[in-house]
Amino acid sequence: MKNEKNIAFFNRELLAKYLNNEVNPIEKSEVEAWINQSDDNREELEQSRKMLDAVDAFYKADDFNSVVAWQKVKSKMHTPQLAVVHTNKVRREAISHFYKVAAVIIFAVLLGSAGYYFGFRNKVTEVYSEIISAEKQVISEYTLPDGSVVALNSNSKLVFPNKFEGETREVTIYGEAFFNVKPDASKPFIINAGNAQVKVLGTSFNVKAYPGNETVEVVVATGKVQVSGKTGPDEINKNKILLVPGEKGIVTGNGGLTEKMENNNPNYLSWKTHDFVFNEVPLRDVISCLENTYHVDIAMSQPELNDLKLTAHFEDKPIDFVLDVVRLTFNLELSEENEQFTFSARN
C-alpha cells in the first residue's frame, strides 16, 4: 500500500478544516509542513481556497436550494466516494462547516467533476480513525484493529485505517507513542513518523516525532525494527538501519541522514511508566525529565543548583514524593506558587 493512498483522505479532511480555521496547533503544523513540501501542494491549496470562495458565493445566492441540490448529489454518488472518518476526539461539529463541505461536493457535481474534493483527484475507499491526546494527557493503552497496542504521549495524534487491508499495516504518528505490535510475518507494520519510516513484524518500541522537531527518534525495547529516512511522501532513503533492543535510531534533516547508537537514556519511556532511574544525573536533566512526565513547572532559584547530581530510583511515585526526596537529599527549600515548584538553597 502506498503512503499517498493511506494519507490522501486524511489530508483532505485536514485541508478542509485548515481552510475553515478549525485546526488545532498540531494539525496546523502538519498542513503547513505538507504545503511547504512542493509547489504542487501549494497550488492544490490555492485551488481549494478558490473553490471554497466560489462555493460560498454560490451558497449565498438567493436561488440556492440546499435540499434539492443535496438530493441531486446523493443520486449521483456511490458510498465509497464519501467514506466517513471516525475520530475518538470529541470536537465541535459546526453546522456551517457541514454545509460548506456539502456545498463543495454539490458544486463539483454541478460542474461535472464528480469525485473531486477540494482539488484532490484520488478516489478514497479506506475509512480512517484517529486518536488524539491533549496537552497534558497520556493515553496509556489503545488497541488497534490488528490487536497491536499503542500508548500515546501528550499532545500527540495517531491516524490509522479502521481495517488493515493489503500487504501492510500502515499508520501515521504525530508526536510520541509506544507501540507493542502484534506479530504477523505476512503483513509488516509500518509507521510514518515525520521524515522517517519504521517497519516491523512484531516488537515493542518508542517513536518520538513531534511536528517541528528536527529529528525523529526510535528506541527499541524488544525485537527488531527497521528505520529509514523519507526524503518525500513516497521516497524512502535506501540507507536503512536495523535496531535491536537497547539501540536508538535517529533520522535527521530532510530524511537523508539516519544514525544508530546505544540508548543511554534509561528514562526514555518514563512518560508512560513513571519509572525513573537516575545515576549521578545533574538536577537540570532530572528536572527536565520530571517536567515532561508530570507536566509541571520546576525552577531553581540559584543556577548552581542545576549542577547537583542525583542518584535515585522512583517507581510510579507521585510528583510530590519525588520532589520531596530531592529536597531532603540536597537539604533544599521547596515552595509552590501558581502551579510552579521552586527549589532554593537554605540560608
Side-chain angles (χ1 to χ4, degrees):
M1 182 183 298
K2 293 184 178 180
N3 185 43
E4 180 181 354
K5 185 176 182 181
N6 274 347
I7 67 173
F9 184 76
F10 176 61
N11 281 338
R12 297 176 185 182
E13 171 72 9
L14 273 185
L15 188 56
K17 293 175 65 178
Y18 181 82
L19 290 171
N20 285 305
N21 296 318
E22 296 177 359
V23 290
N24 60 37
I26 293 180
E27 293 170 330
K28 182 179 179 182
S29 298
E30 177 189 342
V31 173
E32 291 178 348
W34 173 81
I35 293 170
N36 292 328
Q37 284 179 358
S38 68
D39 292 337
D40 289 340
N41 290 353
R42 285 187 285 272
E43 182 181 350
E44 291 284 358
L45 175 70
E46 290 308 312
Q47 289 178 355
S48 300
R49 196 190 306 277
K50 290 177 182 178
M51 179 171 285
L52 182 59
D53 290 341
V55 166
D56 284 337
F58 184 66
Y59 176 68
K60 293 175 182 177
D62 292 338
D63 59 348
F64 177 73
N65 188 322
S66 61
V67 175
V68 174
W70 185 246
Q71 292 300 322
K72 291 181 180 179
V73 172
K74 289 174 65 178
S75 67
K76 297 181 180 181
M77 293 187 304
H78 298 289
T79 301
Q81 291 177 302
L82 287 180
V84 178
V85 172
H86 301 282
T87 176
N88 293 325
K89 177 187 177 186
V90 178
R91 63 172 180 260
R92 179 177 56 86
E93 293 290 349
I95 295 177
S96 60
H97 173 61
F98 171 82
Y99 278 108
K100 278 187 177 180
V101 175
V104 169
I105 305 171
I106 294 167
F107 191 68
V109 172
L110 294 176
L111 289 176
S113 302
Y116 280 64
Y117 180 75
F118 282 99
F120 289 90
R121 297 168 176 81
N122 294 325
K123 289 185 179 180
V124 177
T125 57
E126 294 86 3
V127 180
Y128 284 82
S129 292
E130 61 185 31
I131 53 173
I132 302 176
S133 59
E135 185 175 354
K136 295 184 178 181
Q137 175 195 24
V138 171
I139 298 176
S140 59
E141 185 174 297
Y142 185 91
T143 303
L144 297 176
D146 67 330
S148 298
V149 178
V150 60
L152 208 62
N153 201 353
S154 62
N155 203 26
S156 302
K157 177 168 65 174
L158 181 72
V159 181
F160 55 93
N162 280 4
K163 182 179 181 181
F164 290 112
E165 297 181 343
E167 299 178 352
T168 62
R169 297 169 286 169
E170 196 159 351
V171 302
T172 301
I173 179 66
Y174 305 89
E176 185 170 14
F178 182 80
F179 295 86
N180 194 338
V181 176
K182 184 177 181 179
D184 187 347
S186 65
K187 185 175 290 191
F189 195 96
I190 295 176
I191 301 153
N192 297 297
N195 59 355
Q197 185 180 88
V198 182
K199 183 177 181 180
V200 300
L201 296 179
T203 183
S204 59
F205 53 97
N206 193 75
V207 178
K208 187 175 183 180
Y210 280 102
N213 285 7
E214 294 183 357
T215 62
V216 174
E217 296 184 5
V218 180
V219 179
V220 178
T222 62
K224 294 181 180 180
V225 170
Q226 176 183 288
V227 179
S228 308
K230 292 173 60 180
T231 55
D234 293 314
E235 299 176 7
I236 307 300
N237 193 326
K238 295 181 180 180
N239 297 322
K240 301 176 176 61
I241 58 174
L242 187 65
L243 303 178
V244 297
E247 291 184 334
K248 175 170 68 174
I250 297 179
V251 178
T252 61
N254 63 353
L257 294 176
T258 307
E259 303 176 21
K260 179 169 72 170
M261 63 194 69
E262 182 181 354
N263 175 42
N264 294 318
N265 179 15
N267 302 312
Y268 75 96
L269 202 55
S270 61
W271 63 267
K272 177 180 181 294
T273 64
H274 287 201
D275 190 4
F276 303 91
V277 177
F278 299 115
N279 185 15
E280 290 291 302
V281 177
L283 277 189
R284 64 168 57 85
D285 297 331
V286 173
I287 296 307
S288 176
C289 188
L290 296 178
E291 288 180 328
N292 292 335
T293 300
Y294 294 101
H295 310 292
V296 296
D297 293 323
I298 306 171
M300 296 291 188
S301 58
Q302 293 89 18
E304 59 269 20
L305 297 181
N306 287 302
D307 297 325
L308 297 173
K309 295 184 178 180
L310 177 69
T311 297
H313 179 198
F314 303 101
E315 188 173 359
D316 198 19
K317 300 297 184 183
I319 184 62
D320 292 339
F321 178 90
V322 176
L323 293 179
D324 203 41
V325 169
V326 174
R327 176 186 67 84
L328 293 172
T329 300
F330 299 106
N331 193 28
L332 302 175
E333 296 282 357
L334 177 62
S335 59
E336 181 183 1
E337 184 177 358
N338 296 327
E339 298 184 351
Q340 182 181 63
F341 296 94
T342 302
F343 284 108
S344 57
R346 292 183 182 271
N347 295 326

